[in-house]
Amino acid sequence: MSLSSHLEELKKKHQTLSDHVEVLQRSPAADEIEVAKLKKKKLQLKEEISRLSTH
């Protein structure tokens, strides 16, 4: 897999997580622990995207 396709895949995963977090946060019965886990994963993806983009 090329670097650019890998970056695109990471960006898609990041956006999917972002959408999922947004939906969960709108729910009155949102599981805050699950939201926190998803946010952490989202941040990890963002950091990896940033790291790979600078190379």
CSV table of all heavy atoms in Angstrom, one decimal:
chain,number,residue,atom,x,y,z
A,1,MET,N,0.8,-1.2,0.0
A,1,MET,CA,0.0,0.0,0.0
A,1,MET,C,0.9,1.2,0.0
A,1,MET,O,1.8,1.3,0.8
A,1,MET,CB,-0.9,0.0,1.2
A,1,MET,CG,-1.8,1.2,1.4
A,1,MET,SD,-2.8,1.2,2.9
A,1,MET,CE,-4.0,-0.1,2.5
A,2,SER,N,0.6,2.2,-0.9
A,2,SER,CA,1.4,3.4,-0.9
A,2,SER,C,1.1,4.3,0.3
A,2,SER,O,0.0,4.2,0.9
A,2,SER,CB,1.1,4.1,-2.2
A,2,SER,OG,-0.2,4.7,-2.2
A,3,LEU,N,2.0,5.2,0.5
A,3,LEU,CA,1.8,6.1,1.6
A,3,LEU,C,0.5,7.0,1.4
A,3,LEU,O,-0.2,7.1,2.4
A,3,LEU,CB,3.0,7.0,1.8
A,3,LEU,CG,3.0,8.1,2.9
A,3,LEU,CD1,2.8,7.4,4.2
A,3,LEU,CD2,4.2,8.9,2.9
A,4,SER,N,0.3,7.4,0.2
A,4,SER,CA,-0.9,8.3,0.0
A,4,SER,C,-2.2,7.5,0.2
A,4,SER,O,-3.1,8.0,0.8
A,4,SER,CB,-0.9,8.9,-1.4
A,4,SER,OG,-0.8,7.9,-2.4
A,5,SER,N,-2.2,6.3,-0.2
A,5,SER,CA,-3.5,5.5,0.0
A,5,SER,C,-3.6,5.1,1.5
A,5,SER,O,-4.7,5.1,2.0
A,5,SER,CB,-3.5,4.2,-0.9
A,5,SER,OG,-2.4,3.4,-0.6
A,6,HIS,N,-2.5,4.9,2.1
A,6,HIS,CA,-2.6,4.6,3.6
A,6,HIS,C,-3.1,5.9,4.3
A,6,HIS,O,-4.0,5.7,5.2
A,6,HIS,CB,-1.2,4.2,4.1
A,6,HIS,CG,-1.2,3.8,5.5
A,6,HIS,ND1,-1.9,2.8,6.1
A,6,HIS,CD2,-0.5,4.4,6.6
A,6,HIS,CE1,-1.7,2.7,7.4
A,6,HIS,NE2,-0.8,3.7,7.7
A,7,LEU,N,-2.6,7.0,3.9
A,7,LEU,CA,-3.1,8.3,4.6
A,7,LEU,C,-4.6,8.5,4.3
A,7,LEU,O,-5.3,8.9,5.2
A,7,LEU,CB,-2.3,9.5,4.0
A,7,LEU,CG,-1.0,9.7,4.7
A,7,LEU,CD1,-0.2,10.8,3.9
A,7,LEU,CD2,-1.2,10.2,6.1
A,8,GLU,N,-5.0,8.2,3.1
A,8,GLU,CA,-6.4,8.3,2.8
A,8,GLU,C,-7.3,7.4,3.6
A,8,GLU,O,-8.4,7.7,4.1
A,8,GLU,CB,-6.7,8.1,1.3
A,8,GLU,CG,-6.3,9.2,0.4
A,8,GLU,CD,-6.9,10.5,0.8
A,8,GLU,OE1,-8.1,10.6,1.0
A,8,GLU,OE2,-6.2,11.5,0.9
A,9,GLU,N,-6.8,6.2,3.8
A,9,GLU,CA,-7.5,5.2,4.6
A,9,GLU,C,-7.6,5.7,6.1
A,9,GLU,O,-8.7,5.6,6.7
A,9,GLU,CB,-6.8,3.8,4.5
A,9,GLU,CG,-7.6,2.7,5.1
A,9,GLU,CD,-8.9,2.4,4.5
A,9,GLU,OE1,-9.1,2.6,3.2
A,9,GLU,OE2,-9.9,2.0,5.2
A,10,LEU,N,-6.5,6.2,6.6
A,10,LEU,CA,-6.5,6.7,8.0
A,10,LEU,C,-7.5,7.9,8.1
A,10,LEU,O,-8.2,8.0,9.1
A,10,LEU,CB,-5.1,7.2,8.4
A,10,LEU,CG,-4.1,6.1,8.6
A,10,LEU,CD1,-2.7,6.7,8.8
A,10,LEU,CD2,-4.5,5.1,9.7
A,11,LYS,N,-7.5,8.8,7.1
A,11,LYS,CA,-8.4,9.9,7.1
A,11,LYS,C,-9.9,9.5,7.1
A,11,LYS,O,-10.7,10.0,7.8
A,11,LYS,CB,-8.1,10.8,5.9
A,11,LYS,CG,-6.9,11.6,6.1
A,11,LYS,CD,-6.6,12.5,4.9
A,11,LYS,CE,-5.2,13.2,5.0
A,11,LYS,NZ,-4.9,14.0,3.9
A,12,LYS,N,-10.2,8.4,6.3
A,12,LYS,CA,-11.5,7.9,6.3
A,12,LYS,C,-11.9,7.3,7.6
A,12,LYS,O,-13.0,7.5,8.1
A,12,LYS,CB,-11.7,6.8,5.2
A,12,LYS,CG,-11.7,7.3,3.8
A,12,LYS,CD,-11.8,6.1,2.8
A,12,LYS,CE,-11.5,6.6,1.4
A,12,LYS,NZ,-11.5,5.4,0.5
A,13,LYS,N,-11.0,6.6,8.3
A,13,LYS,CA,-11.3,6.0,9.6
A,13,LYS,C,-11.5,7.1,10.6
A,13,LYS,O,-12.4,7.0,11.4
A,13,LYS,CB,-10.1,5.1,10.0
A,13,LYS,CG,-10.0,3.8,9.3
A,13,LYS,CD,-8.9,3.0,9.8
A,13,LYS,CE,-8.8,1.7,9.1
A,13,LYS,NZ,-7.6,0.8,9.5
A,14,HIS,N,-10.7,8.2,10.5
A,14,HIS,CA,-10.8,9.3,11.4
A,14,HIS,C,-12.2,9.9,11.2
A,14,HIS,O,-12.9,10.3,12.2
A,14,HIS,CB,-9.7,10.3,11.1
A,14,HIS,CG,-9.7,11.5,12.1
A,14,HIS,ND1,-10.4,12.6,11.8
A,14,HIS,CD2,-9.1,11.7,13.3
A,14,HIS,CE1,-10.3,13.5,12.8
A,14,HIS,NE2,-9.5,12.9,13.7
A,15,GLN,N,-12.6,10.2,10.0
A,15,GLN,CA,-13.9,10.8,9.8
A,15,GLN,C,-15.1,9.9,10.2
A,15,GLN,O,-16.0,10.4,10.8
A,15,GLN,CB,-14.1,11.1,8.3
A,15,GLN,CG,-15.4,11.8,8.0
A,15,GLN,CD,-15.5,13.2,8.7
A,15,GLN,OE1,-14.5,14.0,8.7
A,15,GLN,NE2,-16.6,13.4,9.4
A,16,THR,N,-14.9,8.6,10.0
A,16,THR,CA,-16.0,7.7,10.5
A,16,THR,C,-16.1,7.7,12.0
A,16,THR,O,-17.2,7.8,12.6
A,16,THR,CB,-15.6,6.2,10.0
A,16,THR,OG1,-15.6,6.2,8.6
A,16,THR,CG2,-16.7,5.2,10.5
A,17,LEU,N,-15.0,7.7,12.7
A,17,LEU,CA,-15.0,7.8,14.2
A,17,LEU,C,-15.6,9.2,14.6
A,17,LEU,O,-16.4,9.2,15.6
A,17,LEU,CB,-13.6,7.7,14.7
A,17,LEU,CG,-13.0,6.3,14.9
A,17,LEU,CD1,-11.6,6.4,15.4
A,17,LEU,CD2,-13.8,5.5,15.9
A,18,SER,N,-15.2,10.2,13.9
A,18,SER,CA,-15.7,11.6,14.2
A,18,SER,C,-17.3,11.6,14.1
A,18,SER,O,-18.0,12.1,15.0
A,18,SER,CB,-15.1,12.6,13.3
A,18,SER,OG,-15.5,13.9,13.6
A,19,ASP,N,-17.8,11.0,13.0
A,19,ASP,CA,-19.2,10.9,12.8
A,19,ASP,C,-19.9,10.1,13.9
A,19,ASP,O,-20.9,10.5,14.5
A,19,ASP,CB,-19.5,10.3,11.5
A,19,ASP,CG,-19.1,11.2,10.3
A,19,ASP,OD1,-18.8,12.4,10.5
A,19,ASP,OD2,-19.0,10.7,9.2
A,20,HIS,N,-19.2,9.0,14.3
A,20,HIS,CA,-19.8,8.1,15.3
A,20,HIS,C,-19.8,8.8,16.7
A,20,HIS,O,-20.8,8.7,17.4
A,20,HIS,CB,-19.0,6.8,15.4
A,20,HIS,CG,-19.6,5.7,16.2
A,20,HIS,ND1,-20.6,5.0,15.7
A,20,HIS,CD2,-19.3,5.3,17.4
A,20,HIS,CE1,-20.9,4.1,16.7
A,20,HIS,NE2,-20.1,4.3,17.7
A,21,VAL,N,-18.8,9.5,17.0
A,21,VAL,CA,-18.7,10.2,18.3
A,21,VAL,C,-19.8,11.3,18.3
A,21,VAL,O,-20.5,11.4,19.3
A,21,VAL,CB,-17.3,10.9,18.5
A,21,VAL,CG1,-17.3,11.9,19.6
A,21,VAL,CG2,-16.3,9.8,18.8
A,22,GLU,N,-20.0,12.0,17.2
A,22,GLU,CA,-21.0,13.0,17.2
A,22,GLU,C,-22.4,12.5,17.4
A,22,GLU,O,-23.2,13.0,18.2
A,22,GLU,CB,-20.9,13.7,15.8
A,22,GLU,CG,-21.8,15.0,15.7
A,22,GLU,CD,-21.6,15.7,14.4
A,22,GLU,OE1,-20.4,15.8,13.9
A,22,GLU,OE2,-22.6,16.2,13.9
A,23,VAL,N,-22.7,11.3,16.8
A,23,VAL,CA,-24.0,10.7,16.9
A,23,VAL,C,-24.2,10.2,18.4
A,23,VAL,O,-25.2,10.5,19.0
A,23,VAL,CB,-24.1,9.5,16.0
A,23,VAL,CG1,-25.3,8.6,16.3
A,23,VAL,CG2,-24.2,10.0,14.5
A,24,LEU,N,-23.1,9.6,19.0
A,24,LEU,CA,-23.2,9.2,20.3
A,24,LEU,C,-23.4,10.3,21.3
A,24,LEU,O,-24.2,10.2,22.3
A,24,LEU,CB,-22.0,8.4,20.7
A,24,LEU,CG,-21.9,7.0,20.3
A,24,LEU,CD1,-20.5,6.4,20.7
A,24,LEU,CD2,-23.0,6.1,21.0
A,25,GLN,N,-22.8,11.4,21.1
A,25,GLN,CA,-22.9,12.6,22.0
A,25,GLN,C,-24.2,13.2,21.9
A,25,GLN,O,-24.7,13.8,22.9
A,25,GLN,CB,-21.8,13.6,21.7
A,25,GLN,CG,-20.4,13.1,22.1
A,25,GLN,CD,-19.3,14.1,21.9
A,25,GLN,OE1,-19.3,14.8,20.9
A,25,GLN,NE2,-18.4,14.3,22.9
A,26,ARG,N,-25.0,13.1,20.8
A,26,ARG,CA,-26.3,13.6,20.7
A,26,ARG,C,-27.3,12.7,21.5
A,26,ARG,O,-28.4,13.1,21.7
A,26,ARG,CB,-26.7,13.7,19.3
A,26,ARG,CG,-26.1,15.0,18.6
A,26,ARG,CD,-26.8,15.3,17.3
A,26,ARG,NE,-25.7,15.2,16.3
A,26,ARG,CZ,-25.8,14.6,15.1
A,26,ARG,NH1,-26.9,13.9,14.8
A,26,ARG,NH2,-24.8,14.6,14.3
A,27,SER,N,-26.9,11.5,21.7
A,27,SER,CA,-27.8,10.6,22.4
A,27,SER,C,-27.9,10.8,23.9
A,27,SER,O,-26.8,11.0,24.5
A,27,SER,CB,-27.3,9.1,22.2
A,27,SER,OG,-28.1,8.2,23.0
A,28,PRO,N,-29.1,10.9,24.5
A,28,PRO,CA,-29.2,11.2,25.9
A,28,PRO,C,-28.6,10.0,26.8
A,28,PRO,O,-28.2,10.3,27.9
A,28,PRO,CB,-30.7,11.4,26.2
A,28,PRO,CG,-31.3,10.8,25.0
A,28,PRO,CD,-30.4,10.8,23.8
A,29,ALA,N,-28.6,8.9,26.2
A,29,ALA,CA,-28.1,7.7,26.9
A,29,ALA,C,-26.6,7.3,26.5
A,29,ALA,O,-26.2,6.2,26.6
A,29,ALA,CB,-29.0,6.5,26.7
A,30,ALA,N,-25.9,8.3,26.1
A,30,ALA,CA,-24.5,8.1,25.6
A,30,ALA,C,-23.7,7.5,26.7
A,30,ALA,O,-23.7,8.0,27.8
A,30,ALA,CB,-23.9,9.4,25.0
A,31,ASP,N,-22.9,6.5,26.3
A,31,ASP,CA,-21.9,5.9,27.2
A,31,ASP,C,-20.7,6.7,27.2
A,31,ASP,O,-19.9,6.7,26.2
A,31,ASP,CB,-21.7,4.5,26.8
A,31,ASP,CG,-20.7,3.7,27.7
A,31,ASP,OD1,-20.1,4.3,28.6
A,31,ASP,OD2,-20.5,2.5,27.5
A,32,GLU,N,-20.4,7.5,28.3
A,32,GLU,CA,-19.3,8.4,28.3
A,32,GLU,C,-18.0,7.7,28.2
A,32,GLU,O,-17.0,8.2,27.6
A,32,GLU,CB,-19.3,9.3,29.5
A,32,GLU,CG,-20.5,10.3,29.6
A,32,GLU,CD,-20.5,11.2,28.4
A,32,GLU,OE1,-19.4,11.8,28.0
A,32,GLU,OE2,-21.6,11.5,27.8
A,33,ILE,N,-17.9,6.5,28.7
A,33,ILE,CA,-16.6,5.7,28.6
A,33,ILE,C,-16.4,5.4,27.1
A,33,ILE,O,-15.2,5.5,26.6
A,33,ILE,CB,-16.7,4.5,29.5
A,33,ILE,CG1,-16.7,4.9,31.0
A,33,ILE,CG2,-15.5,3.6,29.2
A,33,ILE,CD1,-16.9,3.8,32.0
A,34,GLU,N,-17.4,4.9,26.5
A,34,GLU,CA,-17.3,4.6,25.0
A,34,GLU,C,-16.9,5.8,24.2
A,34,GLU,O,-16.0,5.7,23.3
A,34,GLU,CB,-18.6,3.9,24.5
A,34,GLU,CG,-18.5,3.5,23.1
A,34,GLU,CD,-17.6,2.3,22.9
A,34,GLU,OE1,-17.2,1.6,23.8
A,34,GLU,OE2,-17.1,2.2,21.7
A,35,VAL,N,-17.5,6.9,24.5
A,35,VAL,CA,-17.2,8.2,23.8
A,35,VAL,C,-15.7,8.5,24.0
A,35,VAL,O,-15.0,8.9,23.1
A,35,VAL,CB,-18.1,9.3,24.2
A,35,VAL,CG1,-17.7,10.6,23.7
A,35,VAL,CG2,-19.6,9.0,23.8
A,36,ALA,N,-15.3,8.4,25.2
A,36,ALA,CA,-13.9,8.7,25.6
A,36,ALA,C,-12.9,7.8,24.8
A,36,ALA,O,-11.9,8.2,24.3
A,36,ALA,CB,-13.7,8.6,27.1
A,37,LYS,N,-13.3,6.5,24.7
A,37,LYS,CA,-12.4,5.6,24.0
A,37,LYS,C,-12.4,5.9,22.5
A,37,LYS,O,-11.3,5.9,21.9
A,37,LYS,CB,-12.9,4.1,24.2
A,37,LYS,CG,-12.7,3.5,25.5
A,37,LYS,CD,-13.3,2.1,25.6
A,37,LYS,CE,-13.2,1.5,27.0
A,37,LYS,NZ,-13.8,0.2,27.1
A,38,LEU,N,-13.5,6.3,22.0
A,38,LEU,CA,-13.5,6.6,20.5
A,38,LEU,C,-12.8,7.9,20.3
A,38,LEU,O,-12.0,8.0,19.3
A,38,LEU,CB,-15.0,6.8,20.1
A,38,LEU,CG,-15.8,5.5,20.0
A,38,LEU,CD1,-17.3,5.8,19.7
A,38,LEU,CD2,-15.2,4.5,19.0
A,39,LYS,N,-12.9,8.9,21.2
A,39,LYS,CA,-12.1,10.1,21.0
A,39,LYS,C,-10.6,9.8,21.1
A,39,LYS,O,-9.8,10.5,20.4
A,39,LYS,CB,-12.5,11.1,22.1
A,39,LYS,CG,-13.8,11.8,21.8
A,39,LYS,CD,-14.1,12.8,22.9
A,39,LYS,CE,-15.3,13.6,22.6
A,39,LYS,NZ,-15.6,14.7,23.5
A,40,LYS,N,-10.2,8.9,22.0
A,40,LYS,CA,-8.8,8.6,22.1
A,40,LYS,C,-8.3,8.0,20.8
A,40,LYS,O,-7.2,8.3,20.3
A,40,LYS,CB,-8.6,7.7,23.3
A,40,LYS,CG,-7.1,7.4,23.6
A,40,LYS,CD,-6.9,6.5,24.8
A,40,LYS,CE,-5.4,6.3,25.0
A,40,LYS,NZ,-5.2,5.5,26.3
A,41,LYS,N,-9.1,7.0,20.3
A,41,LYS,CA,-8.7,6.4,19.0
A,41,LYS,C,-8.6,7.4,17.9
A,41,LYS,O,-7.7,7.4,17.1
A,41,LYS,CB,-9.7,5.3,18.7
A,41,LYS,CG,-9.4,4.5,17.4
A,41,LYS,CD,-8.2,3.8,17.5
A,41,LYS,CE,-8.0,2.9,16.2
A,41,LYS,NZ,-6.6,2.4,16.2
A,42,LYS,N,-9.6,8.3,17.9
A,42,LYS,CA,-9.6,9.4,16.9
A,42,LYS,C,-8.3,10.2,17.0
A,42,LYS,O,-7.7,10.5,16.0
A,42,LYS,CB,-10.9,10.2,17.1
A,42,LYS,CG,-11.2,11.2,16.0
A,42,LYS,CD,-12.5,11.9,16.3
A,42,LYS,CE,-12.3,13.4,16.1
A,42,LYS,NZ,-13.4,14.2,16.5
A,43,LEU,N,-7.9,10.6,18.2
A,43,LEU,CA,-6.7,11.4,18.4
A,43,LEU,C,-5.5,10.6,17.9
A,43,LEU,O,-4.6,11.1,17.3
A,43,LEU,CB,-6.6,11.8,19.9
A,43,LEU,CG,-5.3,12.6,20.2
A,43,LEU,CD1,-5.3,13.9,19.4
A,43,LEU,CD2,-5.3,12.8,21.7
A,44,GLN,N,-5.4,9.3,18.2
A,44,GLN,CA,-4.3,8.5,17.8
A,44,GLN,C,-4.2,8.5,16.2
A,44,GLN,O,-3.1,8.6,15.7
A,44,GLN,CB,-4.4,7.0,18.3
A,44,GLN,CG,-4.2,6.9,19.8
A,44,GLN,CD,-4.6,5.5,20.3
A,44,GLN,OE1,-5.4,4.8,19.7
A,44,GLN,NE2,-4.0,5.2,21.4
A,45,LEU,N,-5.4,8.4,15.6
A,45,LEU,CA,-5.4,8.4,14.1
A,45,LEU,C,-4.9,9.7,13.6
A,45,LEU,O,-4.1,9.8,12.7
A,45,LEU,CB,-6.8,8.1,13.6
A,45,LEU,CG,-7.2,6.6,13.6
A,45,LEU,CD1,-8.7,6.5,13.3
A,45,LEU,CD2,-6.4,5.8,12.7
A,46,LYS,N,-5.4,10.8,14.2
A,46,LYS,CA,-5.0,12.1,13.8
A,46,LYS,C,-3.5,12.3,14.0
A,46,LYS,O,-2.8,12.9,13.1
A,46,LYS,CB,-5.7,13.2,14.6
A,46,LYS,CG,-5.5,14.6,14.2
A,46,LYS,CD,-6.3,15.6,14.9
A,46,LYS,CE,-6.1,17.0,14.4
A,46,LYS,NZ,-6.9,17.9,15.2
A,47,GLU,N,-2.9,11.8,15.1
A,47,GLU,CA,-1.5,11.9,15.3
A,47,GLU,C,-0.7,11.1,14.3
A,47,GLU,O,0.3,11.6,13.8
A,47,GLU,CB,-1.1,11.5,16.7
A,47,GLU,CG,-1.6,12.5,17.8
A,47,GLU,CD,-1.4,11.9,19.2
A,47,GLU,OE1,-1.2,10.7,19.4
A,47,GLU,OE2,-1.5,12.8,20.1
A,48,GLU,N,-1.2,9.9,13.9
A,48,GLU,CA,-0.5,9.1,12.9
A,48,GLU,C,-0.6,9.8,11.5
A,48,GLU,O,0.4,9.8,10.8
A,48,GLU,CB,-1.1,7.7,12.8
A,48,GLU,CG,-0.3,6.8,11.9
A,48,GLU,CD,-0.8,5.4,11.9
A,48,GLU,OE1,-1.7,5.0,12.7
A,48,GLU,OE2,-0.3,4.6,11.1
A,49,ILE,N,-1.7,10.4,11.2
A,49,ILE,CA,-1.9,11.1,9.9
A,49,ILE,C,-0.9,12.2,9.9
A,49,ILE,O,-0.2,12.4,8.9
A,49,ILE,CB,-3.3,11.6,9.8
A,49,ILE,CG1,-4.3,10.4,9.5
A,49,ILE,CG2,-3.4,12.6,8.6
A,49,ILE,CD1,-5.8,10.8,9.7
A,50,SER,N,-0.8,13.0,11.0
A,50,SER,CA,0.1,14.1,11.1
A,50,SER,C,1.6,13.7,10.9
A,50,SER,O,2.3,14.3,10.2
A,50,SER,CB,-0.1,14.8,12.4
A,50,SER,OG,0.8,15.9,12.5
A,51,ARG,N,1.9,12.6,11.6
A,51,ARG,CA,3.3,12.1,11.6
A,51,ARG,C,3.6,11.6,10.2
A,51,ARG,O,4.7,11.9,9.7
A,51,ARG,CB,3.4,10.9,12.5
A,51,ARG,CG,4.8,10.3,12.7
A,51,ARG,CD,4.9,9.2,13.7
A,51,ARG,NE,3.9,8.1,13.4
A,51,ARG,CZ,4.1,7.1,12.5
A,51,ARG,NH1,5.2,7.1,11.8
A,51,ARG,NH2,3.3,6.2,12.4
A,52,LEU,N,2.7,10.9,9.5
A,52,LEU,CA,3.0,10.4,8.2
A,52,LEU,C,3.0,11.5,7.1
A,52,LEU,O,3.7,11.5,6.1
A,52,LEU,CB,2.0,9.3,7.8
A,52,LEU,CG,2.1,8.0,8.6
A,52,LEU,CD1,0.9,7.1,8.2
A,52,LEU,CD2,3.4,7.3,8.3
A,53,SER,N,2.2,12.6,7.4
A,53,SER,CA,2.2,13.7,6.4
A,53,SER,C,3.4,14.5,6.4
A,53,SER,O,3.7,15.2,5.4
A,53,SER,CB,1.0,14.6,6.7
A,53,SER,OG,-0.2,13.9,6.6
A,54,THR,N,4.2,14.5,7.5
A,54,THR,CA,5.4,15.3,7.6
A,54,THR,C,6.6,14.6,7.0
A,54,THR,O,7.7,15.2,6.9
A,54,THR,CB,5.7,15.7,9.0
A,54,THR,OG1,5.9,14.5,9.8
A,54,THR,CG2,4.6,16.6,9.6
A,55,HIS,N,6.4,13.3,6.6
A,55,HIS,CA,7.6,12.6,6.0
A,55,HIS,C,7.6,12.6,4.5
A,55,HIS,O,6.7,12.7,3.8
A,55,HIS,CB,7.5,11.1,6.5
A,55,HIS,CG,8.0,11.0,7.9
A,55,HIS,ND1,7.1,10.9,9.0
A,55,HIS,CD2,9.2,10.9,8.4
A,55,HIS,CE1,7.7,10.8,10.1
A,55,HIS,NE2,9.0,10.8,9.8
